[in-house]
Amino acid sequence: MGSYSELLKTRGVARIIAAQLTARFPSGMLSLAFLLHVEQQTGSYGSAGLVLAATSIGQAVAGPLTSRMMGRFGMRPVLVTTLTICVAAIVAIGVIPPIMPLYLGIGLLAGLSTPPVQPAVRTIYPKMVNSRQLTPLFSLDASAQEIIWVVGPVVTTFVSTQIGTIWGILLAAALMVVGGAWFISSPELGRVRIPRSKRRFGVVLARPPVLLATVVGFLLVGACAAIEAGVVAVFGHGGPEAGIVLAIFSIGSLAGGLFLGHAPISPWSTARRMFIVFAGTALAAAAMDFWWLAATLFVAGIGIAPALAVLFAIVSSSVKFSDTAEAYGWVGTGQLIGAALGSALAGFLIDGNGAQGAFWAAAALAFLGTLVPALAKRWHPDLRGRDASPIPDTEPVPITPS
C-alpha cells in the first residue's frame, strides 16, 4: 500500500483521479434513474428498457468517435461540447411529458453525447507518472471506479424513491456538471495534447492487443451484467439483500485491484485473472443462498479490477499515443455491448430456468473470457520489465542546410 501512497503523492494524480471519478459518477446513477423515472411516467418497464437501450446504443456508437475527435479538435473543446449536450439531454428526460418517441430520441442523444472522460484520462495517465508507476496507476483507477457502481445506485434509489424520480435525474446531471467542469479545468488537460492520428478511423481495432482487450472486456462486463441480473432475481427489490451482495461483489474487485496491482503482466495475466472471475461465478451458481453468494461473488470480484487493469495496460503499450484515445473508445464500446448482451441473455435464462440461469450465463461468459486470452496469448504483450507507455509518435525533423 506504500507504493499507492507514493503514487497519490505524485503531482496531480490524486486530483485527476478524484475529478474523473466525480465526472463519471453519473454513470452509476443514470441507468437506474432513467429506469425508475420512465417506468413511473409510462407505467411500463418495457418502455423504460427501450430508453435505456437507446442510450446504450448511443454510447456504444459515440465512444470511438468522440475519443478520436479529441486528437483532431483537442480534449477540452470535445469534452465541453459533449458535456453541454449530454447534460441538456439528461435534464430533458426528467422534465418532458411522457411521450415515448421523445424519450427514445433524447435518450439516444444523451448516449451519443456522453463525454469521453474515460478515454481522456487513460490517455493522460502515461504523461503523469513514470513507467514503473503506470501499471499500478491503471490498477488503482480500475479499483477506484468500483465506488461509482457501489454508491451510485444507492444514492439514486434513495433520492428517487424518497424525494422523486425527477430529482434522481437532476442530481445525476448536477454531478456531471460539477465533475465535468472539475476534470476539464484540470491543468493536465492543458499540458497534454493528443496528436492527430494519421490512420483511418477504426484501423487501431485491427491491432491484436486492442482487439483482444475489446473482446475480453466484452465478455467480462457481460458476465458482470448477468451476475447483477441474477442477484436481483434471487432477492427481488423488497429488501436490502441484493444491494448488499452486489456491494460485496464490488468490494472484492476493489480489494483485488489494490492487492494485485503490482503483479508483473505476462502473456498469461489476463487469462489468470479471468479464471478467478470464472471460478467464483461457477461456484456461485451452485446455491442461491445469501451467504454463499456473498462469499463466492467476493472471490469472483477479486479478478475484475486486476483484469481491467491488464487490459488498459496492454492497450496503452501497443498503440501510438495519437491512437490511444480511440483505442480506449473501442474497448469501452465492447464493454457497453457486453453489458447489454449479458443482461439480455440473463433475462431469457431467468424466465426459463429461474435466477440460477443468470449465473450459468455469467459463468459461460467468464469461461470464454478465460479461454480467449489463453488461446491468444501470442497476441498478449509481455510487460514484465517493460514500459506500458504508448509508442511515441515520430515525424521527420526538417534539417536546415548550413
Side-chain angles (χ1 to χ4, degrees):
M1 299 304 292
S3 58
Y4 287 118
S5 176
E6 176 191 345
L7 183 61
L8 291 172
K9 290 176 183 176
T10 303
R11 181 185 177 190
V13 168
R15 181 182 62 247
I16 203 76
I17 289 177
Q20 64 96 7
L21 282 177
T22 308
R24 291 170 52 209
F25 194 82
S27 300
M29 303 175 65
L30 282 173
S31 293
L32 188 54
F34 281 0
L35 179 71
L36 293 171
H37 181 72
V38 175
E39 189 279 329
Q40 185 185 78
Q41 295 296 307
T42 64
S44 168
Y45 278 106
S47 296
L50 287 174
V51 175
L52 293 181
T55 304
S56 296
I57 290 169
Q59 290 173 329
V61 170
L65 289 169
T66 54
S67 299
R68 186 179 175 92
M69 286 179 185
M70 291 192 291
R72 182 172 182 179
F73 301 108
M75 283 189 280
R76 278 180 172 149
V78 172
L79 288 166
V80 168
T81 302
T82 53
L83 176 66
T84 303
I85 297 171
C86 190
V87 169
I90 290 169
V91 172
I93 289 283
V95 299
I96 63 172
I99 302 171
M100 273 306 295
L102 272 178
Y103 274 159
L104 291 173
I106 296 173
L108 179 64
L109 179 62
L112 287 169
S113 59
T114 300
V117 173
Q118 192 172 32
V121 75
R122 288 177 184 152
T123 300
I124 291 170
Y125 281 158
K127 302 297 183 181
M128 296 183 65
V129 297
N130 59 45
S131 58
R132 178 179 59 84
Q133 294 175 309
L134 184 55
T135 299
L137 178 54
F138 280 134
S139 184
L140 181 62
D141 177 275
S143 301
Q145 73 178 7
E146 293 299 331
I147 297 169
I148 296 171
W149 309 111
V150 174
V151 181
V154 174
V155 172
T156 302
T157 302
F158 177 80
V159 173
S160 297
T161 58
Q162 301 302 312
I163 304 176
T165 56
I166 185 173
W167 292 106
I169 291 175
L170 294 179
L171 176 61
L175 285 172
M176 183 174 284
V177 171
V178 172
W182 186 10
F183 180 69
I184 291 167
S185 64
S186 299
E188 290 73 20
L189 266 75
R191 297 191 193 111
V192 177
R193 186 183 69 83
I194 304 173
R196 185 170 179 173
S197 177
K198 297 178 175 63
R199 295 164 187 78
R200 295 192 313 276
F201 175 71
V203 169
V204 70
L205 188 59
R207 293 192 67 86
V210 177
L211 182 59
L212 177 62
T214 302
V215 171
V216 175
F218 162 84
L219 294 167
L220 172 59
V221 175
C224 292
I227 287 170
E228 290 171 3
V231 169
V232 171
V234 171
F235 300 108
H237 300 275
E241 292 90 348
I244 294 170
V245 169
L246 290 175
I248 292 170
F249 182 42
S250 293
I251 290 168
S253 177
L254 176 62
L258 293 177
F259 286 104
L260 297 177
H262 291 80
I265 295 176
S266 75
W268 287 102
S269 290
T270 301
R272 287 169 180 159
R273 287 156 171 77
M274 286 301 302
F275 181 77
I276 297 172
V277 181
F278 163 68
T281 305
L283 287 171
M288 301 295 101
D289 169 76
F290 174 84
W291 291 110
W292 178 256
L293 288 176
T296 54
L297 291 182
F298 179 84
V299 172
I302 289 172
I304 294 172
L308 289 171
V310 171
L311 299 183
F312 302 152
I314 66 172
V315 169
S316 175
S317 67
S318 304
V319 300
K320 289 191 173 182
F321 182 60
S322 58
D323 291 324
T324 51
E326 184 189 340
Y328 285 127
W330 284 112
V331 173
T333 290
Q335 293 175 5
L336 284 165
I337 296 171
L341 178 67
S343 297
L345 182 60
F348 284 120
L349 289 174
I350 289 168
D351 288 341
N353 303 280
Q356 203 165 23
F359 292 93
W360 297 342
L365 290 168
F367 176 74
L368 288 174
T370 305
L371 186 63
V372 168
L375 295 176
K377 67 182 180 68
R378 65 189 180 91
W379 290 352
H380 194 296
D382 187 347
L383 299 181
R384 290 173 293 186
R386 277 186 51 199
D387 187 352
S389 299
I391 302 166
D393 286 89
T394 57
E395 295 179 355
V397 178
I399 301 175
T400 306
S402 55

